[in-house]
Amino acid sequence: MSGVEQFSDDQCNNPGCTIRSIPDVAIRASGRYEHSGGRLSDENSPLLLGPEGRTMSDVETTTNYFSDDMEFTAVVCEADRAIDNGVYPERIYQGSSGSYFVKNSEGYNIGVFKPKDEEPYGANNPKWIKWFQRIWCGCCFGRGCLIPNQGFLSEAGASLIDQKLGLNIVPKTKVVHMASETFHYSRIVRAKSKGKNIIADKKPNLAKKFKRLGLPPKVGSFQLFVYGYKDADYHLRRMESQPIPETTRHRLLLEFQKLVVIDYIIRNTDRGNDNWLINLEDITIAETSTEPGFETVTHPDIKVAAIDNGLAFPFKHPDSWRAYPFHWAWLPMAKQHFRDEIKEILKPLEDMNFVEDLVQDLKELFVIDKQFNRIFFEKQMSVLRGQIINLTQALKDNKTPLQLVQMHPIVVEVSRTTALQGMGNRIRQVQDSFYQKVHMKRPFFQQF
């Protein structure tokens, strides 16, 4: 990707990327930034210092730095540079929330950013039709099994599980902070930002007292853009009239079953054939001999991308009006048994310790949200554990994806007990007990 190749220390003078909130202020992941040379001092130095060495720890700042993924950090840095150069993200007009194609300095799409406050229940949702529906038709709006304004965490959580299992079906997604003129801000926020900029131009010394210049950064999910993909519905219809080679069909089945796995584990409530993507290479003919008529058909590769994972991780199974089914369950591929490759990939799920490590990783992700609620998170994980148990059992019984979604949904709740041991009962031991129960309540509409 061009955004990765153009990343260098000269362009971004820190281990990740420096995002400036006011002039002459540098942000570090740790240590101190010296403006005369850019060297680092000890870890006890203030996080933020101005041009005169004054502490700026009260300044609202964000660093999109991921020490375990420098390639992703480079892409986000490229997006920030593009915004600084006037290449702003472009709003995606489909969907019920505010989402944006993020570009690099050359104007090519490199990611999709979905701010938290522009989600369907967000205060700055730019889709006025959804705002009207939320205000006047609240009983028909949203999904009662989901926690509002948590779509950005759901997107990142699906990517986390995908990487943990090695499925490589979800484009890499992480939580970042971004600000752009094209994002949807309230009039008050824009007016304050404009007023500060005017004061900064006329009274630079007074501007140093501001916590931030410019529009405030928004927290949201940033998903890497995938090239060459089209809606699955387009390719599936095309395959009906133009069959693909058998080897390519086997590859598609493997990719499809990876999609089934990730959707089922996170209990995606919004999976249609228009929001997962397929990349099908063109069939090429390679000449293998100088004699005419001796050619070899190169079988095209095929890949699947599971996007739009923002309506997942419910705190209960859908049991009110709608069932929110997986629409891929009606495809012919859903009637074929899980392949051995899938069973091999998912073997770690049979270990409850692995599952609990996964839950802990999700907690570290979800806890960054200011509205994090431990009780509701435990309910979300109860559903996730139940989905994993059903999935592993279906693999053992050699079931198909269609048979998997027909299994009774279950939840696995955790009961933690504390025991005091040792002299004076000073040693505390915490034990977790898991309780499994079937969720019997069904929604009114089973197929909608």
Side-chain angles (χ1 to χ4, degrees):
M1 182 177 293
S2 60
V4 177
E5 296 171 354
Q6 297 173 3
F7 176 70
S8 65
D9 292 338
D10 295 335
Q11 295 170 310
C12 201
N13 295 320
N14 70 358
C17 180
T18 298
I19 302 175
R20 302 173 185 84
S21 50
I22 62 175
D24 296 323
V25 174
I27 305 168
R28 296 293 306 182
S30 63
R32 174 175 175 174
Y33 182 89
E34 300 290 348
H35 287 264
S36 58
R39 62 182 180 85
L40 290 174
S41 65
D42 59 271
E43 296 181 355
N44 294 325
S45 299
L47 178 63
L48 295 172
L49 292 108
E52 300 174 358
R54 62 186 179 91
T55 302
M56 299 285 292
S57 59
D58 58 335
V59 178
E60 181 183 352
T61 59
T62 55
T63 53
N64 299 320
Y65 173 63
F66 306 95
S67 59
D68 59 339
D69 195 339
M70 295 304 299
E71 182 178 353
F72 191 92
T73 301
V75 175
V76 180
C77 283
E78 175 64 20
D80 289 325
R81 284 194 295 271
I83 294 175
D84 290 340
N85 294 331
V87 183
Y88 298 116
E90 179 184 350
R91 184 187 298 172
I92 304 172
Y93 288 94
Q94 295 87 353
S96 60
S97 61
S99 54
Y100 301 84
F101 286 127
V102 181
K103 304 175 182 297
N104 61 9
S105 299
E106 288 74 33
Y108 295 105
N109 294 333
I110 59 175
V112 176
F113 181 65
K114 298 182 179 180
K116 173 186 176 180
D117 67 347
E118 297 189 30
E119 293 182 11
Y121 278 107
N124 290 315
N125 188 322
K127 309 295 176 66
W128 69 270
I129 295 180
K130 288 298 177 181
W131 176 87
F132 180 86
Q133 183 182 4
R134 181 186 64 188
I135 298 298
W136 300 104
C137 305
C139 60
C140 304
F141 186 78
R143 288 161 164 78
C145 57
L146 298 178
I147 300 175
N149 299 332
Q150 209 180 67
F152 74 109
L153 294 177
S154 180
E155 294 275 4
S159 177
L160 188 153
I161 295 176
D162 174 82
Q163 296 177 53
K164 190 86 171 179
L165 294 177
L167 297 173
N168 299 319
I169 200 74
V170 178
K172 190 172 294 184
T173 310
K174 295 181 183 294
V175 175
V176 304
H177 296 76
M178 302 190 76
S180 171
E181 291 286 343
T182 53
F183 294 162
H184 192 263
Y185 293 93
S186 66
R187 293 183 179 180
I188 296 177
V189 172
R190 288 188 179 274
K192 288 173 62 177
S193 174
K194 185 177 180 180
K196 288 182 179 180
N197 290 332
I198 294 175
I199 295 175
D201 292 337
K202 296 183 177 180
K203 303 287 185 179
N205 292 330
L206 183 61
K208 295 179 181 180
K209 298 181 179 181
F210 294 149
K211 293 184 178 180
R212 178 187 60 249
L213 284 178
L215 294 169
K218 293 192 175 194
V219 61
S221 62
F222 186 97
Q223 184 174 87
L224 296 183
F225 188 82
V226 289
Y227 292 93
Y229 286 77
K230 292 186 178 181
D231 293 346
D233 189 60
Y234 167 82
H235 282 292
L236 294 175
R237 292 181 182 275
R238 183 183 175 187
M239 292 175 193
E240 293 178 357
S241 58
Q242 302 178 14
I244 58 179
E246 192 64 25
T247 54
T248 306
R249 187 173 296 277
H250 285 305
R251 174 67 177 173
L252 173 60
L253 179 61
L254 178 62
E255 293 284 293
F256 169 76
Q257 291 183 352
K258 290 180 180 180
L259 170 73
V260 170
V261 168
I262 193 67
D263 273 351
Y264 191 81
I265 290 178
I266 67 177
R267 187 46 183 101
N268 197 334
T269 65
D270 184 35
R271 179 62 76 205
N273 292 333
D274 59 343
N275 64 356
W276 59 282
L277 309 177
I278 294 178
N279 182 1
L280 177 61
E281 294 180 351
D282 293 332
I283 298 178
T284 59
I285 299 179
E287 295 186 0
T288 57
S289 174
T290 56
E291 299 181 15
F294 287 88
E295 295 96 8
T296 301
V297 177
T298 302
H299 298 298
D301 191 17
I302 192 168
K303 296 180 181 179
V304 168
I307 62 171
D308 285 349
N309 302 299
L311 297 176
F313 295 96
F315 63 88
K316 66 173 183 177
H317 288 283
D319 58 6
S320 297
W321 287 101
R322 299 173 58 186
Y324 308 110
F326 305 104
H327 288 272
W328 44 250
W330 293 303
L331 296 176
M333 289 185 292
K335 298 179 181 179
Q336 301 189 40
H337 297 282
F338 282 103
R339 298 187 60 176
D340 292 337
E341 295 96 320
I342 296 294
K343 297 177 182 179
E344 187 66 26
I345 292 174
L346 300 181
K347 272 189 176 181
L349 292 179
E350 299 176 4
D351 183 5
M352 207 61 190
N353 291 324
F354 177 88
V355 176
E356 289 308 300
D357 288 341
L358 179 61
V359 170
Q360 184 61 34
D361 291 340
L362 288 172
K363 184 176 182 180
E364 292 176 2
L365 169 65
F366 280 47
V367 77
I368 66 176
D369 186 17
K370 293 181 179 179
Q371 278 93 37
F372 175 79
N373 186 297
R374 183 183 60 83
I375 296 177
F376 274 100
F377 176 79
E378 289 296 336
K379 291 182 178 180
Q380 289 175 297
M381 295 302 101
S382 295
V383 174
L384 181 137
R385 294 187 187 98
Q387 295 292 96
I388 291 177
I389 288 180
N390 266 354
L391 176 61
T392 55
Q393 188 61 45
L395 295 177
K396 292 178 181 178
D397 297 341
N398 198 29
K399 292 186 175 182
T400 65
L402 177 59
Q403 293 171 330
L404 170 64
V405 299
Q406 292 173 343
M407 298 176 67
H408 288 291
I410 62 175
V411 294
V412 179
E413 298 177 349
V414 180
S415 176
R416 291 183 172 87
T417 57
T418 303
L420 299 179
Q421 299 177 350
M423 297 181 60
N425 293 330
R426 294 182 178 180
I427 301 177
R428 179 177 297 178
Q429 183 179 11
V430 180
Q431 296 180 343
D432 292 342
S433 301
F434 299 90
Y435 297 92
Q436 174 182 325
K437 64 180 181 180
V438 179
H439 188 84
M440 299 301 298
K441 188 177 179 182
R442 296 288 186 172
F444 185 80
F445 297 104
Q446 294 289 325
Q447 302 296 329
F448 177 67

